[in-house]
Amino acid sequence: MADDLDFETGDAGASATFPMQCSALRKNGFVVLKGRPCKIVEMSTSKTGKHGHAKVHLVGIDIFTGKKYEDICPSTHNMDVPNIKRNGLPGKGRCPRLTKIWGAPVSFAEPLPRGGVCWAWLRGPPLALQLIGIQDGYLSLLQDSGDVREDLRLPEGDLGKEIEQKYDCGEEILITVLSAMTEEAAVAIKAMAK
Amino acid sequence: MMAAAVAAGGAPEVIAQLENAAKVLMQRTNYPETERMSSKRAIFLHLILKLHHLPWSIMNNASMLSTYSYHLENQNHHLLFASIFWQTLACSILTALLSEFSSSSKTSNIGLSMEFHGNCKRIFQEGDLRQIFMLTVEVLQEFSRRENLNAQMSSVFQRYLALANQVLSWNFLPPNLGRHYIAMFESSQNVMLKPTELWRETLLDIRVMELFFTVHRKIREDTDMAQDSLQCLAQLASLHGPVFPDEGSQVDYLAHFIEGLLNTVNGIEIEDSEAMGISSVFSNLITVFPRNVLTAIPNELFSSFVNCLTHLTCSFGRSAALEEVLDKDDMVYMEAYDKLLESWLTLVQDDKHFHKGFFTQHAVQVFNSYIQCHLAAPDGTRNLTANGVASREEEEISELQEDDRDQFSDQLASVGMLGRIAAEHCIPLLTSLLEDRVTRLHGQLQRHQQQLLASPGSGSIDNKVLDDLYEDIHWLILVTGYLLANDTQGETPLIPPEVMEYSIKHSTEVDINTTLQILGSPGEKASSIPGYNRTDSVIRLLSAILRVSEVESRAIRADLTHLLSPQMGKDIVWFLKRWAKTYLLVDEKLYDQISLPFNTAFGADTEGSQWIVGYLLEKVISNLAVWSSEQDLANDTVQLLVTLVERRERANLVIQCENWWNLAKQFARRSPPLHFLSSSVQRTLMKALVLGGFAHMDTDTKQQYWTEVLQPLQQRFLNVINQENFQQICQEEEVKQEITATLEALCGIAEATQIDNVAILFNFLMDFLTNCIGLMEVYKNTPETVNLIIEVFVEVAHKQICYLGESKAMNLYEACLTLLQVYSKNNLGRQRIDVTAEEDQYQDLLLIMELLTNLLSKEFIDFSDTDEVFRGHEPGQAANRSVSAADVVLYGVNLVLPLMSQDLLKFPSLCNQYYKLITFICEIFPEKIPQLPEDLFKSLMYSLELGMSSMSSEVCQLCLEALTPLAEQCAKAQETDSSLFLATRHFLKMVFDMLVLQKHNTEMTTAAGEAFYTLVCLHQAEYSELVETLLSSQQDPVIYQRLADAFNKLTASSTPPSLDRKQKMAFLKSLEEFMANVGGLLCVK
């Protein structure tokens, strides 16, 4: 139950998108183009005539479908930026004091922990959820919390086939889940580290 | 007779004829049978061989060859027009001969040594080349006398003209080959005519230059031929060197030449195709002939010359403007105009040879015409064509398009210089033009506003009038900027003496108070201020630009930003920055004499300077708020801010402004509009804010300032990363932005480092660095964030390591080591074999190498005095040196070497950084190299070998520099079976071959020599063996002897070779002689 509460508070107030001035967008960042959440892969500016105002030319890739979208708009305009989440659910917060970095003892005595920093995240965020089953076109994923979620569709296309095939061969794989603007999908897989 | 034979015969006969012809040619040479003879024969036989391989043209070539000898035999008989066919063939073969001899790059590859080529070329240039030239001159003379040349004859004429051009563009080898043999390798681009003394009679003959003028006048309408004839004239205009026996002959030559030139150019309408050639002629005369020779020609002639130059400059300028309007692909006039403006700069820069004011009138004319071409009608002619105003369509301009101030910087620098020379005219002119435009712009914007108020949303406003005004103001600001101040890089910018003198000269007529009033009331029309004509003109010009700026600011306040031109906004802050650097708080100590108005208006401790600083700051703040969406403008604006605070005196004034504190607070809050700014602008803004913090303040104020500027940064950062669920939300856009903004700010802080603030900044940044390492882990799958984190380390190391004492440096090393460890862990097994990968995907690798290089740089540049700058900041602690630079760097190298593949070396930036790094390591830690793991050692050695054999000369030089310390290390260690010892033996052979056998770059001689000597010391027996082998392969006893002698001499001063400096220097000196003596002997093409 406590986990669920964390989930509620962690997500509270986060809207699907927030506005941002076009000039403040960055390559590799996200933006909504033609109603779709996209990752910006190209960004350039131009102007009409020497004394014209800057316009921004954006090229983005839909994070779910991989489709390419383009848009051009005055650089003063606000664009919507989607709130993107990886693997949807937050796990438990932990805050051990740091004595080790990635399992090896820190090679020098004192200096690292400073200012009461919480080093929990040194372990890194959960990058992917472990796939433990496929049922009726839905994935069963093991969450960091130990719970299993079963509401995510097996993606269509090559990625879906690859997941199925690897799962059938008994490979242990991890699935990266992205969510943005009420949509959620598995977007990548990788082999589980032994 | 020969012709008949050739015409009748088949291939075998042709060969026979060729040999015959060769004999004829050989017999004509009166030299004794020496090397000269044999070299000539070799070339000749080679030519025959070459012809042999071109079967389809055997006939023609054969005839040509015979024609050459035919010509040489019959040059005194005027049978020149006997046969067009013959003439053409003769000319072709002469051209081929010239190519063969002209430079090593054009020579065919037939296995002759460079020295041999050099000798042949020298013999050729003193003998046959001159004969060919005289022959050509005769033919041209014959042609120039003829009327009505038919097409065929024209074509022959053209060939000979091209041939003459080829001779005059000859890259003459100096008489004693000496170390200049290298000159042969140099490119044959833009060769100035510098023949030997033997050419004196030929080239100083006035009839020769007259002939070329005559020829040009005759054919100038033929586009192709005119190029050649003008090129010949340009070459003759560049004549210099031993060909002139004394100054008098140079003056005579120049006077005749200018006369001929003026006769040719004056009174004609220049053809498009002539523009470039004519400007080259002028440019060469002005560049090559010394000032005293220029002034020694008759006064009237010199005046006409300068008048003609003025006339042409103005006229080419107008044509260049026309080319721009018509959007021509080939901008011949623009190029010609550039060249003439550049010549003006050369001419007026050294003006003590001319009486004062000599160039003023000319300068006025050129300046006026430049302004005229850049202003719209009615004052100017911009966009005017013969048929009236060309309506240029609004074209799309990409961000890659260079700004005018950069694209035309050379033109603007010349025009600015001319404007200073004629300051009396130009400064008031610019002022009145600007003031007029300001009034018009103001009026126009008001009309727009009324229109908008009357019918809001009516939208369609014709912007033509505004755009024209903006473009006028744009150019006026650029010219003013270049006139009032110089481009300075690194040096203290000074007020140009002409401007200073001009202001001083009129200071007695000037009313200081009115001047200050003009300056301090940018919102009012200048002419509305009583007594406005009794003000300092330079200050009034500045105030005219402040008036432009004020109109802009008011339009923004009136919500008319959308009507303004960001380009003009950019011009304004660009100008203000340039002006502030040079004039604001003018330092009296730098000048002999200082203008009173300047000193009163913006000297130290004046109300004027305080007012201007406040005004500029307000401008900066307004721009950053309004123009955050215009990157370039925001960038120029923040650069102006840096200029205001980078000097302590100015910063002291800045921090007294309340606005400054507001800006600092606003930025720390990271709220709109400042956080809309692009990352690079934010970074520079942070830098400015930090620099400002080192102005003079009392302790409490300073404390307060840092609390406003730096503390919020830390607080925000800690708040974000200490959130319990940070690892879950770290990829959320808002969180990422917060992190990115912090990292950018850290880079900005590092950039602001100076010796007197490093203590504070280093301690502040160190706290962050450890936290950044944690971020590396969190963002390990977000390359752009990882790169930014590494960049923070790179910047800190770059800016601060040289000031850090031992214990502080160690702290930094430790942090870097941890960073590398995390990086290494995250890159373990990461595959990087994407063949389509672009360079920027390896940014992290590049940054890591940069970081390591920066850390190493402390060994070269170290300003630290064992934590002197930190004294008082913390109690002294005994440094227990747990991590050294070597540890960090070698760890880093262990990391980088396996990631660097040969493919990656194809990227220039990676390649250069990589070799810079490994050279540094070899130089600083040679003792660590043999301890490297075997595969790393091997790949390092292979890298060096690769760098020496197949990379750029820059890389090769780096590798050679790396060899010396390695060889020294071996000598010290005295382990003859170590792998490093064996490797150096291989390098000895490589360097030996490089020096003795290969075409080689003189810049590298020192590096190669040092490496060579150290390697020779180390492997004396192997060296002797190499020499022996080389000598024994020589069949020619003469060459054998020369080489043997040269090698003996080379080591004579350093036998037995030992690693002391004196011997090494002696060896390097001998090596230079060795290279000069036999360097070209074995280098075979």
Side-chain angles (χ1 to χ4, degrees), chain A residues 10-25:
Chain A
D11 245 13
S15 56
T17 64
F18 59 93
M20 195 190 249
Q21 184 171 309
C22 195
S23 60
L25 295 170

Side-chain angles (χ1 to χ4, degrees), chain B residues 883-1031:
Chain B
V883 179
S884 71
D887 293 336
V888 186
V889 174
L890 288 174
Y891 183 88
V893 170
N894 277 315
L895 188 66
V896 170
L897 274 185
L899 295 176
M900 284 302 293
S901 66
Q902 214 164 322
D903 279 339
L904 291 192
L905 291 177
K906 279 188 217 132
F907 297 118
S909 57
L910 279 171
C911 178
N912 287 337
Q913 193 66 47
Y914 174 71
Y915 277 105
K916 206 168 145 191
L917 177 63
I918 61 173
T919 301
F920 265 32
I921 291 168
C922 292
E923 283 181 332
I924 298 168
F925 308 119
E927 72 281 2
K928 304 268 184 183
I929 304 293
Q931 299 162 14
L932 288 174
E934 198 191 335
D935 48 341
L936 278 188
F937 176 81
K938 273 192 185 145
S939 83
L940 188 70
M941 292 302 124
Y942 179 63
S943 294
L944 287 175
E945 186 177 341
L946 201 64
M948 280 165 64
S949 55
S950 42
M951 299 282 167
S952 67
S953 64
E954 208 175 308
V955 167
C956 180
Q957 172 129 6
L958 283 172
C959 293
L960 287 167
E961 281 166 15
L963 289 182
T964 311
L966 290 183
E968 280 168 356
Q969 173 61 28
C970 276
K972 242 183 268 165
Q974 298 199 319
E975 286 170 35
T976 49
D977 54 349
S978 75
S979 30
L980 183 60
F981 187 82
L982 296 176
T984 50
R985 203 152 72 193
H986 173 65
F987 286 129
L988 171 69
K989 166 100 173 88
M990 276 192 82
V991 180
F992 181 85
D993 287 355
M994 185 189 277
L995 283 168
V996 181
L997 298 178
Q998 289 158 17
K999 232 185 190 184
H1000 149 96
N1001 189 338
T1002 24
E1003 285 158 31
M1004 232 121 64
T1005 309
T1006 315
E1010 281 195 36
F1012 188 45
Y1013 183 69
T1014 334
L1015 291 165
V1016 168
C1017 290
L1018 195 60
H1019 303 284
Q1020 292 176 27
E1022 283 80 5
Y1023 167 70
S1024 310
E1025 214 173 283
L1026 283 174
V1027 174
E1028 277 311 312
T1029 318
L1030 181 75
L1031 288 176

Side-chain angles (χ1 to χ4, degrees), chain B residues 596-752:
Chain B
L596 184 64
F598 287 3
N599 213 10
T600 323
F602 23 78
D605 300 320
T606 58
E607 271 178 54
S609 52
Q610 179 70 57
W611 176 82
I612 289 195
V613 165
Y615 186 84
L616 296 182
L617 191 59
E618 207 175 304
K619 186 81 199 172
V620 166
I621 291 171
S622 148
N623 272 5
L624 292 181
V626 178
W627 296 115
S628 60
S629 58
E630 296 288 336
Q631 248 217 73
D632 293 344
L633 174 47
N635 207 27
D636 280 337
T637 302
V638 81
Q639 292 300 341
L640 168 62
L641 189 66
V642 169
T643 302
L644 287 180
V645 290
E646 73 188 346
R647 260 186 56 201
R648 189 64 50 88
E649 297 81 7
R650 292 197 287 259
N652 291 343
L653 293 182
V654 173
I655 55 140
Q656 287 170 32
C657 302
E658 214 183 305
N659 265 334
W660 172 258
W661 291 73
N662 293 337
L663 179 69
K665 282 179 208 162
Q666 205 186 8
F667 185 62
R669 276 199 304 275
R670 215 169 277 161
S671 52
L674 293 182
H675 89 298
F676 288 156
L677 294 167
S678 73
S679 49
S680 69
V681 174
Q682 291 200 28
R683 194 186 281 206
T684 317
L685 182 54
M686 189 73 226
K687 173 184 173 183
L689 288 172
V690 171
L691 283 173
F694 294 96
H696 181 73
M697 298 180 241
D698 59 57
T699 327
D700 288 348
T701 320
K702 190 153 262 178
Q703 191 57 45
Q704 196 199 336
Y705 186 78
W706 292 126
T707 315
E708 306 272 9
V709 175
L710 294 183
Q711 242 165 17
L713 187 70
Q714 199 161 24
Q715 208 46 57
R716 296 177 67 99
F717 182 61
L718 293 178
N719 287 348
V720 175
I721 61 171
N722 282 337
Q723 291 177 78
E724 286 221 337
N725 60 344
F726 178 64
Q727 57 176 319
Q728 279 80 39
I729 57 170
C730 66
Q731 291 294 342
E732 281 179 16
E733 199 60 18
E734 271 171 284
V735 176
K736 248 172 85 177
Q737 276 177 18
E738 186 74 34
I739 296 292
T740 308
T742 305
L743 294 170
E744 291 282 356
L746 294 179
C747 290
I749 293 172
E751 276 178 34

Side-chain angles (χ1 to χ4, degrees), chain B residues 234-438:
Chain B
Q235 288 306 115
L236 289 171
S238 73
L239 185 67
H240 65 295
V243 71
F244 289 116
D246 51 33
E247 204 181 289
S249 62
Q250 214 175 352
V251 174
D252 275 352
Y253 180 86
L254 180 65
H256 275 111
F257 193 92
I258 288 182
E259 243 168 78
L261 178 64
L262 296 181
N263 286 336
T264 309
V265 174
N266 278 341
I268 59 162
E269 200 161 314
I270 305 242
E271 302 278 328
D272 292 358
S273 51
E274 287 179 301
M276 199 49 217
I278 290 178
S279 63
S280 297
V281 174
F282 274 90
S283 161
N284 281 353
L285 286 175
I286 290 168
T287 318
V288 170
F289 285 88
R291 294 291 160 270
N292 55 331
V293 173
L294 271 181
T295 44
I297 66 171
N299 280 341
E300 228 164 278
L301 188 61
F302 185 65
S303 291
S304 313
F305 173 68
V306 180
N307 285 338
C308 180
L309 176 63
T310 311
H311 168 76
L312 285 177
T313 312
C314 297
S315 133
F316 285 2
R318 282 190 292 273
S319 307
L322 211 58
E323 275 176 348
E324 277 206 301
V325 182
L326 300 176
D327 224 355
K328 286 201 176 170
D329 288 338
D330 203 6
M331 307 271 279
V332 287
Y333 283 107
M334 188 58 90
E335 218 178 311
Y337 188 44
D338 282 344
K339 201 152 198 143
L340 289 187
L341 282 176
E342 195 188 304
S343 308
W344 274 107
L345 205 55
T346 319
L347 192 60
V348 299
Q349 243 162 15
D350 185 16
D351 63 352
K352 57 179 181 294
H353 288 280
F354 308 103
H355 69 80
K356 205 170 166 57
F358 181 87
F359 290 115
T360 309
Q361 278 319 306
H362 306 104
V364 167
Q365 285 183 49
V366 176
F367 188 87
N368 281 353
S369 91
Y370 189 84
I371 296 288
Q372 204 176 39
C373 289
H374 288 85
L375 293 185
D379 288 336
T381 56
R382 188 180 70 227
N383 287 352
L384 276 188
T385 63
N387 320 323
V389 183
S391 63
R392 300 195 68 187
E393 275 178 35
E394 291 287 273
E395 51 193 325
E396 282 295 304
I397 299 175
S398 90
E399 59 189 332
L400 301 170
Q401 173 83 40
E402 232 183 338
D403 198 286
D404 285 340
R405 69 178 186 230
D406 300 318
Q407 195 185 342
F408 297 106
S409 59
D410 290 345
Q411 284 190 5
L412 286 162
S414 296
V415 170
M417 184 72 194
L418 293 172
R420 287 175 204 168
I421 288 177
E424 297 274 357
H425 166 83
C426 300
I427 290 181
L429 174 71
L430 287 172
T431 310
S432 74
L433 289 169
L434 269 168
E435 284 177 354
D436 168 68
R437 299 304 184 278
V438 175

Side-chain angles (χ1 to χ4, degrees), chain B residues 224-242:
Chain B
D224 291 336
M225 287 179 82
Q227 300 247 331
D228 272 319
S229 61
L230 280 171
Q231 184 56 34
C232 288
L233 287 170
Q235 288 306 115
L236 289 171
S238 73
L239 185 67
H240 65 295

Side-chain angles (χ1 to χ4, degrees), chain A residues 10-11 14 18 20-21 23-24 26-30 39 43-55 75-76 78 81-86 89-95 101-102 107-108 111-112 114-127 144 190, chain B residues 394-399 404 467 470-471 474-475 561-568 627-630 675-679 682 718 721-728 730-734 736-737 766-767 770-771 773-775 777-778 780-781 784 814 817-818 821-822 825 840:
Chain A
D11 245 13
F18 59 93
M20 195 190 249
Q21 184 171 309
S23 60
R26 308 270 176 271
K27 194 179 163 186
N28 293 319
F30 298 94
K39 187 182 172 92
M43 206 176 147
S44 58
T45 59
S46 66
K47 56 183 180 179
T48 308
K50 203 194 272 178
H51 300 283
H53 289 235
K55 294 177 295 185
S75 66
T76 46
N78 277 337
V81 175
N83 261 319
I84 309 266
K85 281 199 291 293
R86 250 167 236 267
L89 306 170
K92 284 182 211 165
R94 296 187 193 90
C95 185
I101 296 179
W102 69 92
S107 61
F108 30 87
L112 266 180
R114 265 173 214 264
V117 178
C118 172
W119 290 92
W121 34 267
L122 259 186
R123 298 177 309 109
L127 285 164
D144 204 35
K190 59 182 197 174
Chain B
E394 291 287 273
E395 51 193 325
E396 282 295 304
I397 299 175
S398 90
E399 59 189 332
D404 285 340
D467 272 358
Y470 290 140
E471 185 71 0
H474 166 66
W475 285 107
T561 313
H562 61 284
L563 292 176
L564 288 171
S565 154
Q567 175 68 54
M568 182 183 78
W627 296 115
S628 60
S629 58
E630 296 288 336
H675 89 298
F676 288 156
L677 294 167
S678 73
S679 49
Q682 291 200 28
L718 293 178
I721 61 171
N722 282 337
Q723 291 177 78
E724 286 221 337
N725 60 344
F726 178 64
Q727 57 176 319
Q728 279 80 39
C730 66
Q731 291 294 342
E732 281 179 16
E733 199 60 18
E734 271 171 284
K736 248 172 85 177
Q737 276 177 18
M766 263 321 275
D767 282 344
T770 41
N771 283 329
I773 294 166
L775 287 181
E777 189 64 31
V778 178
K780 64 181 175 193
N781 289 316
E784 63 273 14
E814 279 172 0
L817 184 61
T818 321
Q821 286 166 340
V822 178
K825 181 198 137 235
D840 63 357

